Amino acid sequence: MTDPISDFLTRIRNACAAQQEQVLIPFSKMKAELCRILQEEGYIWSYEVDTSAAHPRLKLKLKYQDKTAVIRKIDRVSKPGLRKYVGSTEIPRVLGGLGISILSTPRGIMTGAKARKAKVGGELLATVW
């Protein structure tokens, strides 16, 4: 697989479209950090690492409101073929502040608002609303 983050986002997108209660995703530290951010921002109920199988995996419990997914759209911005780096002043505001952008910075993975506040830029991984 050439882009595991894109696969992660696609699995969440497909599970939301099918209105599944939870989704299983192969584990990595970066994906766990993305899950932490999604939980902190209120886009998913919870996540946990399931080690009962041969390979560890993340189990995400998706969040719905009136039978529609809280995650309306989740897009990959920086791709392996075309990386997108932004400075602290260039971090985009998603839907005028209603959504979030997720960045990989030298200080770890964080939301665009936290990166702007810490005055640090990085690779723009995804946008969620």
Side-chain angles (χ1 to χ4, degrees):
M1 179 180 318
T2 58
D3 192 5
I5 302 303
S6 182
D7 177 64
F8 169 79
L9 299 175
T10 300
R11 286 178 190 240
I12 293 174
R13 193 179 312 115
N14 291 343
C16 287
Q19 293 188 345
Q20 293 180 349
E21 187 177 313
Q22 65 182 12
V23 61
L24 296 172
I25 299 168
F27 175 80
S28 77
K29 290 179 184 177
M30 182 177 269
K31 292 177 195 174
E33 284 297 305
L34 291 171
C35 290
R36 179 188 59 80
I37 288 175
L38 290 174
Q39 184 180 8
E40 283 178 0
E41 296 295 321
Y43 288 102
I44 60 173
W45 284 115
S46 64
Y47 73 97
E48 62 184 38
V49 179
D50 180 21
T51 56
S52 63
H55 299 285
R57 54 192 178 176
L58 290 165
K59 188 185 294 186
L60 277 72
K61 191 171 180 190
L62 300 174
K63 195 173 193 178
Y64 293 93
Q65 189 173 27
D66 298 329
K67 294 190 178 185
T68 57
V70 173
I71 297 175
R72 304 290 169 120
K73 190 160 180 147
I74 186 165
D75 284 332
R76 178 84 154 121
V77 177
S78 182
K79 299 175 169 88
L82 181 63
R83 300 287 184 186
K84 174 84 169 143
Y85 296 97
V86 292
S88 62
T89 59
E90 304 164 344
I91 298 171
R93 296 188 195 280
V94 181
L95 282 184
L98 296 178
I100 62 167
S101 54
I102 302 174
L103 280 84
S104 175
T105 67
R107 296 186 190 170
I109 296 177
M110 60 178 69
T111 63
K114 287 183 183 175
R116 211 177 289 111
K117 193 172 188 178
K119 292 187 172 66
V120 64
E123 183 180 356
L124 184 59
L125 296 175
T127 56
V128 183
W129 71 85

